[in-house]
Each structure stands twice: as C-alpha cells, then as structure tokens.
C-alpha cells in the first residue's frame, strides 16, 4: 500500500469563478460552421477524432469581465456535419421504432375486419368506412399489456446499454451493436403479419412477442448513447466570446449549444415518428405485413451513416472504473452513520467523500483506495439532483397520451369517416416538428434578448401545465363520447346484432388538441431532462444518467401495465381528471424546490475528463513519465 500525502493539489478541483470558466476572444470566422473544417486559435472542429484539452483554450489575458458575463447574449455553436449525421441516425431509428409500434395496438386489440383481405386491412368501400384494422382480436387489456411491456423494456434496457457504453464499448460501438440487433428484429417482425401466420393467432402472437422484445433490446443500446454522442461533438467546451455577422459581441455558450442541439435532435425524433402515418395507412388499406416491412426498409439508412461517420466522429473512450468509483464514493459517504446525514444533504454529507476532506482530517491519502477527485463527488451530487427531477416526470409521461390504452379506446368509439383510428396520434410528432423551430429560433432567443431567458425549471413548469390542459380536454371529449354512444358508458366495444361497430357522434378530429398540447409540452419537459442528464452528469458516466432520464417512460409504462384491468369502460373519464390535477399541481414544484438547477453549467464536457486523464493516478503517471523523460534527456547529454 502506497500512501501519498503531498500530491493532493495535483488533482483537487480547481477553484472556479462564480460566473464560470474563463472565456476567449475569437473572430466570428474562426467559430465552427456547419460542414466546415475551419479552426483557429486552438478551437478544433467537433469532427476531429482526437482529444482536445479544455486547457488549450484558456488565456488569462482574455478572461471576460463580470459585465461581459451579465450583459452579452449567449448563443449556440453551429452544428458540424458529424452532429447532423447523429440526427439523421436518430431520425431513421425513431422512424423504424414508431413506424413499427404505431400499428401494434390495432394488430393486438382488434379482430380481422369483416370482409377484409385477411391481412388485417379493412373491407373496401363503405363497408370498411368506420372499421379499424385488426389481426389477433385479443382485446383492449391484452393490447395495453403488450404495448406497455414493449415500451417498458425499450426504456429500461437503456440503463444496461448506458452502463455498457460508459464502461466497456463506448457510445459509438454500442450504437453499432444496437443497430445490428434492430435489423434482426425488423426482419422477424414481418413474420407474424404474413397472412398465413395471422390465421394461426397463437403462432402469430408468439412470433410477435419475440420480435418486439428483440426490438426493445436494440432501442436499449441505441437510445442512451446517441444523444450524448451528439452532444460530444460540440466544438464549444467552455464559454467562448465571438462576434456575429453583424458585429455583435456575444458568448458562444456550451449549455445553450446543448439546449439548441437537443431541440433539433428531438425534432428529428418526431420527424421519424411521423413515418407512422405511412404504416397506419398501410395497415388499413393493404395489411400489417406492409406496415411492418416499411420501417425495416428505412432502418437500413442507419448502418450506411454509421460507416460514413466512423473515422470522422469524436468518440469518448469508455472508462471501465467509473461505476466502481461511484460505488466507492457512496460507500465512503454512507460510512459512520452517513445515511443519517444523507437526508440533510449539503456539504456535511457530500464533502466527506472528497479527497481534500479526507486528506485534511486523516493526514494521509491512499490513492489506491480513494482514486477519484473532488470534482467527481460534485458531479455525482449534481446527477442525484437531476435524477430527483426525473422521478417526477412520469406524471407528465402519463398525461401525454393517458394511462394504458385510453386514447385507442377513445378513438374506436368515434366517427372515423374512412381515416385510420390511430391516425390522429401523429399530431403529436407534427406539433413537435412545427414548434421545435419556433422555440429554438423564436421564443428562446426572444426571451434571452429581453433579459428573461427561460430557465430549465420554468421550462419544466410550462410543459406540465400544457400536459394538464390536454388531460382536461380529453376528459371532456370522453364524457361526450359516453353521452352520445348507443352503448353509453361501454362505447369502446359497442356493436349491433350483426357485429358491426356502432360509434358515438363525436368526430375523431376532436383528439387533435389532446395530442397537441402535451406534444408541445414534451419540448419543454423531455428536452430539458436530456439537457440536465448531459450537463449535470459525470463526464465519464453520461450514458447511464441519460438512460435514467429516459427511464421515466418505463415507469409510465409500468403504471399503465398495473392499471390495465381498471382503465377501460366505464372508467375512462376519471383517470384524465386525476392526471390533469396531478400535472398542474406538480408543475410548480420545479421552480419552487429545484430552482438551484437553474444555475448555468459551463464545465460538463471536458474531453480530458471524458478520457480519464484528470484522474489522480493518471496525473501522477503523467508527472512520473515527464520526470523520467527529463532524466533520460539529462543523462543523454
């Protein structure tokens, strides 16, 4: 055992000014441009596949004044081509995911339509005007259970995928493995939709379950890695002073860059999700085999982009010890009655795991046992605070589409006039596609320009309120359906003596505002949660924390699974009322109890920290290597 008592200053967190890291003067022409390779003054393009130390940019003569930091506008950096490539991959992956999963409800829930072709498509002409596509006819409860199982797995498995990416494979390799698994899943998914297989419901169901489980595993490897890999490409690692084309002196800010890029990324997710329109019409008029085949064809865009990006993209190396370090930190924190201090939080709890604290109170420091630095403890603290926010988001997740199969049950009791009953769900991605640029290039810059930028917690608040509005409208529409249905409070399964569907007088288009308001809320809630996950997580553990941000969807799916037997006729109104109240009340928790998360972050993507070069042992090894090299030179001469 080797004890080091004099090396602490080598790896303590450096003191930072309250306003953040030093910034640097750059001409506008030297700042990154989309598709450009232009680099000046030590700033490297994000596509360079090498580690650039943040310290290379620091020049104390160019440190901004307090006045600069208080008065200058903060702008995002432009996206390099490799970041655009990541958005293209996300578009293809989400198009295949939502294009496939969009028809799931009808495939499981509804029986083969009377007079149809046997592929799940409705009867031609007026006979199929108000019919819905179907195949297995298992009913609403089983449909809700299986679709929520798929969602649950697709958002739980990312925790494992994030751990693998952080510790073993790295983000890029994990995405490649997930892409290969997804290709297999898409081939298998077509099999249960083949007409000859549909006629054997048990066989079709078995093949369907196998395919969606494999597809969930693919998503689990891709989702926790793609967003962080996108943000890793940012050429702005610290606040950087530059000039716009009009000559305005501004700050190019790393957190604003992540905010803008993730909004664009989320828009790409929903452009992909809009592909479900094609598959829903395919299921209705051709059959489920085509609805499941089309997403697989589009999915093949992913490996092409990955091959092109392989040599140009920056890939943060995996750090095998990061989870061990985290567990060791908590072991130190919880020792000697630490679990009692945990509930109070604050410095009294967190400082006890910092090497500087241990050095001061024990007089020695064994870096074989305490092999992290002060800043790593601070990063874990920030991650825990962000995860507290993530724990509340499932309320919004449920408000955004209801519990279980509520929206689908509502739609089959409405006047369709030849439209697929699940068509209106596409107004969710449509609203996001329309409002993403409005927020990114309109509202957010405007609020910043007038001196009142929308902070993360107020964005969360706005999103939850929008979710509440959607639930209020849903409750009213569902009440109206019950009031006008020939079967009253059993509208979902209403048929005449011949088995033909009977619907209420409420048109399907009344579902549009139910999807619209929570969809816009997603831009305030989900995107902000991804931003918190990236900017407030340890540099070497971003995949796992990002996966925890995604986990709220799994919690929502688990709640839906648990309530599947309850959330059906005649109980479809009050769940909307409960969600409306819960979402509205919770909205004000964020700016009240989590306002400390509005503090700007500036040092969250240091390439040296991501590569593990700021670890105590790495620093000592570097010093030793430098000293040895110096001695060898002296001996030579």
């Amino acid at each position: 055992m080797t004890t080091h008592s004099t090396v602490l200053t080598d790896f303590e967190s450096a003191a930072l000014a309250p306003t953040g890291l030093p910034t640097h003067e750059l001409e506008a022409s030297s700042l990154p441009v989309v598709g450009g390779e232009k680099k000046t003054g030590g700033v490297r393009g994000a596509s360079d596949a090498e580690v650039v130390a943040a310290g290379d940019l620091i020049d104390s003569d160019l440190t901004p004044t307090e006045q600069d930091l208080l008065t200058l506008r903060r702008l995002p950096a432009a996206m390099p081509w490799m970041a655009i490539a990541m958005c293209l991959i996300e578009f293809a992956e989400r198009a295949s995911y939502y294009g496939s999963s969009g028809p799931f409800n009808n495939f499981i829930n509804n029986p083969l339509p009377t007079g149809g072709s046997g592929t799940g498509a409705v009867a031609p002409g007026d006979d199929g005007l108000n019919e819905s596509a179907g195949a297995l006819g298992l009913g609403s409860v089983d449909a809700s259970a299986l679709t929520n199982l798929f969602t649950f797995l697709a958002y739980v498995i990312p925790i494992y995928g994030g751990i693998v990416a952080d510790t073993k494979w790295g983000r890029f390799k994990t995405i490649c493995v997930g892409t290969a698994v997804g290709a297999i899943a898409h081939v298998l998914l077509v099999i249960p939709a083949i007409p000859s297989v549909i006629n054997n419901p048990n066989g079709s169901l078995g093949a369907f379950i196998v395919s969606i489980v494999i597809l969930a595993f693919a998503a689990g490897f891709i989702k926790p890695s793609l967003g962080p890999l996108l943000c890793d490409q940012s050429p702005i690692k610290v606040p950087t002073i530059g000039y716009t084309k009009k000559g305005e002196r501004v700050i190019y800010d790393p957190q604003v860059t992540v905010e803008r890029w993730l909004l664009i990324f989320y828009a790409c997710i929903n452009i992909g999700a809009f592909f479900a329109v094609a598959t829903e019409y395919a299921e209705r008029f051709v059959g489920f085999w085509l609805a499941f085949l089309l997403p697989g064809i589009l999915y093949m865009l992913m490996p092409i982009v990955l091959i092109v990006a392989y040599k140009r993209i920056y890939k943060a190396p995996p750090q095998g010890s990061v989870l061990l370090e985290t567990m060791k930190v908590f072991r130190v924190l919880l020792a000697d009655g630490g679990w009692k201090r945990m509930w109070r939080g604050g410095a009294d709890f967190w400082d006890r795991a910092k090497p500087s604290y241990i050095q001061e109170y024990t007089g020695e420091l064994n870096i074989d046992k305490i092999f992290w630095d002060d800043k790593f403890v601070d990063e874990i603290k920030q991650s825990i605070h962000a995860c507290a926010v993530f724990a509340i988001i499932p309320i919004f997740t449920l408000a955004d589409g209801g519990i279980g199969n509520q929206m689908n049950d509502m739609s089959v009791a409405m006047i369709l006039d030849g439209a697929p009953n699940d068509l209106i769900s596409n107004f969710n991605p449509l609203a996001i596609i329309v409002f993403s640029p409005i927020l990114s290039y309109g509202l957010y810059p405007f609020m910043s320009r007038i001196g009142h930028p929308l902070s993360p917690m107020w964005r969360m608040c706005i999103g939850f309120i929008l979710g509440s509005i959607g639930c209020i409208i849903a409750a009213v529409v569902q009440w109206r359906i019950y009031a006008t249905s020939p079967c009253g409070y059993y509208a979902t399964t209403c048929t005449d003596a011949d088995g033909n569907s009977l619907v209420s007088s409420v048109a399907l288009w009344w579902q549009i505002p139910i999807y619209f308001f929570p969809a816009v809320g997603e831009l305030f809630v989900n995107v902000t949660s991804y931003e918190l996950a990236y900017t407030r997580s340890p540099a070497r553990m971003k995949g796992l924390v990002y996966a925890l941000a995604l986990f709220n969807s799994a919690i929502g799916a688990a709640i839906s699974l648990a309530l599947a037997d309850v959330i059906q006729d005649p109980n479809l109104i009050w769940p909307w009322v409960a969600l409306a109240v819960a979402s509205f009340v919770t909205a004000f928790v964020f700016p009240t109890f989590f306002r400390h998360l509005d503090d700007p972050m500036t040092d969250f993507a240091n390439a040296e920290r991501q590569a593990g070069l700021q670890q105590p042992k790495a620093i000592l090894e570097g010093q030793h290597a430098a000293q040895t090299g110096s001695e060898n030179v002296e001996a030579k001469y």
Side-chain angles (χ1 to χ4, degrees):
M1 180 178 70
T2 304
T3 300
H4 302 270
S5 59
T6 60
V7 298
L8 183 63
T9 55
D10 294 330
F11 56 89
E12 282 184 324
S13 297
L16 298 177
T19 49
L21 294 176
T23 57
H24 323 282
E25 298 281 358
L26 291 175
E27 295 295 331
S29 61
S30 70
L31 289 168
V33 294
V34 174
E37 299 294 334
K38 194 175 287 186
K39 301 180 275 284
T40 303
V43 177
R44 297 178 182 265
S47 60
D48 290 348
E50 56 184 288
V51 173
V52 182
D56 292 345
L57 299 175
I58 294 177
D59 186 339
S60 58
D61 293 335
L62 300 177
T63 301
T65 64
E66 292 287 337
Q67 188 68 14
D68 289 333
L69 295 166
L70 291 174
T71 59
L72 296 184
R73 279 202 301 144
R74 296 175 182 263
L75 299 180
M79 296 183 79
W81 282 115
M82 285 302 97
I84 295 173
M86 295 304 98
C87 290
L88 185 59
I89 291 173
E90 181 68 354
F91 156 75
E93 193 274 333
R94 289 291 92 181
S96 71
Y97 178 91
Y98 287 109
S100 298
S101 61
F104 282 179
N105 257 315
N106 283 343
F107 183 79
I108 304 164
N109 186 7
N110 304 328
L112 285 169
T114 303
S117 62
T119 62
V122 301
D126 293 341
D127 292 340
L129 195 62
N130 284 311
E131 279 191 319
S132 297
L136 301 183
L138 297 180
S140 175
V141 173
D142 287 344
S144 178
L146 284 174
T147 54
N148 281 294
L149 173 65
F150 173 69
T151 303
F152 179 78
L153 291 175
Y155 287 97
V156 168
I157 296 171
I159 295 177
Y160 173 71
I163 292 172
V164 170
D166 286 339
T167 61
K168 298 293 183 183
W169 293 345
R171 290 190 255 283
F172 189 83
K173 181 179 179 180
T174 305
I175 292 170
C176 292
V177 172
T179 300
V181 173
I184 296 171
H186 278 290
V187 172
L188 295 177
L189 186 59
V190 178
I191 294 175
I194 297 173
S196 60
V197 180
I198 287 180
N199 290 327
N200 179 10
N202 290 335
S204 179
L205 177 62
F208 177 76
I209 292 174
V210 169
S211 63
I212 66 172
V213 169
I214 296 175
L215 187 61
F217 267 92
F221 282 118
I222 296 169
K223 284 297 290 179
S225 299
L226 198 51
L229 184 61
L230 164 75
C231 296
D232 287 345
Q233 308 314 305
S234 172
I236 301 296
K237 304 299 184 183
V238 294
T240 304
I241 292 181
Y243 297 87
T244 66
K245 292 181 179 179
K246 295 181 179 180
E248 180 188 2
R249 193 165 178 262
V250 296
I251 295 176
Y252 288 89
D253 185 87
Q255 185 168 358
V256 175
T257 298
V258 168
E259 174 194 301
R260 168 70 62 82
W261 286 20
L262 286 175
L263 271 171
I264 295 172
F265 185 73
Y266 203 73
C268 290
I269 290 174
N270 287 277
I271 293 172
F274 205 67
F275 186 69
V277 173
T279 60
E280 285 158 5
Y281 271 98
E283 66 168 340
R284 181 172 180 82
F285 295 112
V286 179
F288 285 100
W289 66 269
L290 181 62
F292 292 153
L293 176 63
L294 291 176
I297 295 173
L298 186 58
Y299 187 85
M300 296 308 153
L301 177 66
M302 292 179 61
I304 297 173
V305 178
L306 288 170
I307 291 170
V308 172
Y310 174 69
K311 291 186 178 180
R312 299 186 61 194
I313 199 166
Y314 166 68
K315 299 181 279 289
Q319 299 293 311
S321 66
V322 65
L323 282 181
L324 176 63
E325 289 177 54
T326 303
M327 290 187 289
K328 290 273 189 180
V329 167
F330 277 104
R331 183 179 298 176
V332 173
L333 288 170
L334 297 175
D336 300 323
W339 63 274
K340 297 178 182 178
R341 296 187 297 271
M342 178 176 63
W343 304 110
R344 297 193 298 268
D348 183 52
F349 175 70
W350 291 102
D351 285 355
R352 290 173 183 264
K354 292 183 176 180
S356 58
Y357 180 96
I358 296 170
Q359 170 79 19
E360 180 180 353
Y361 282 90
T362 66
E364 62 180 14
L365 187 69
N366 182 355
I367 64 169
D368 291 324
K369 293 183 177 180
I370 309 297
F371 43 85
W372 55 87
D373 60 6
D374 284 9
K375 186 170 183 177
F376 186 68
V377 179
D378 290 332
E379 289 174 333
I380 293 176
K381 177 183 176 181
Q382 294 165 4
S383 298
I384 294 298
H385 290 165
C387 287
V389 170
F390 302 159
I392 303 174
I393 294 178
I395 295 174
F396 174 81
T397 303
L398 292 172
D400 184 11
I403 301 173
N405 215 29
Q406 276 185 280
M407 290 299 287
N408 191 265
D409 286 350
M410 180 189 292
S411 67
V412 297
M414 306 174 84
I415 295 176
L416 302 181
D417 284 333
N421 68 297
D422 45 8
L423 173 68
I424 304 300
S425 64
N426 293 288
F427 276 85
N428 175 288
L430 181 60
I432 292 170
I433 294 167
V434 171
F435 275 82
S436 290
I438 292 174
L439 296 187
S440 187
Y441 298 100
L443 179 63
Y444 288 173
F446 171 75
M447 297 301 293
S448 179
R449 191 174 291 112
I450 65 175
H452 297 285
L454 280 176
S455 63
M457 293 304 100
W458 276 108
R459 279 183 259 149
M460 285 283 191
C461 178
I462 293 170
F464 270 66
I465 291 174
L466 289 172
S468 179
I469 293 172
C471 291
I472 293 171
I473 297 172
V476 174
V477 171
Q478 185 63 58
W479 167 79
R480 186 61 184 164
I481 288 172
Y482 281 158
T484 60
S485 170
C487 299
Y489 279 77
Y490 293 88
T492 303
T493 56
C494 189
T495 58
D496 60 18
D498 297 325
N500 298 313
S501 297
L502 298 176
V503 296
S504 72
S505 62
V506 180
L508 181 67
W509 306 104
W510 277 103
Q511 283 196 336
I512 291 177
I514 303 173
Y515 282 107
F516 171 81
F517 286 102
V520 178
E522 287 182 35
L523 292 169
F524 291 99
V525 175
N526 292 350
V527 176
T528 302
S529 71
Y530 302 160
E531 177 189 331
L532 290 173
Y534 188 81
T535 61
R536 295 185 178 271
S537 58
R540 296 173 295 130
M541 205 164 69
K542 294 191 180 296
L544 175 58
V545 179
Y546 196 90
L548 293 175
L550 298 171
F551 185 63
N552 64 77
S553 293
I555 297 175
I559 294 173
S560 293
L561 273 171
L563 298 176
D565 286 333
V566 178
I567 309 301
Q568 55 182 313
D569 289 335
N571 304 313
L572 294 177
I573 296 176
W574 290 106
W576 290 117
V577 175
L579 288 172
V581 173
S583 188
F584 183 80
V585 172
T586 309
F588 298 96
V589 169
F590 298 104
T592 304
F593 295 100
F594 294 101
R595 57 180 177 272
H596 58 282
L597 293 178
D598 287 334
D599 296 337
M601 300 293 295
T602 55
D603 185 25
F604 53 81
N606 187 309
E608 283 194 336
R609 287 194 70 78
Q610 287 187 328
L613 300 179
Q614 293 185 358
Q615 292 300 97
K617 282 189 176 181
I619 292 175
L620 288 175
E621 289 170 0
Q623 291 175 343
H624 177 72
Q627 183 178 358
T628 303
S630 177
E631 290 174 353
N632 290 339
V633 171
E634 291 178 0
K636 181 177 180 180
Y637 292 98

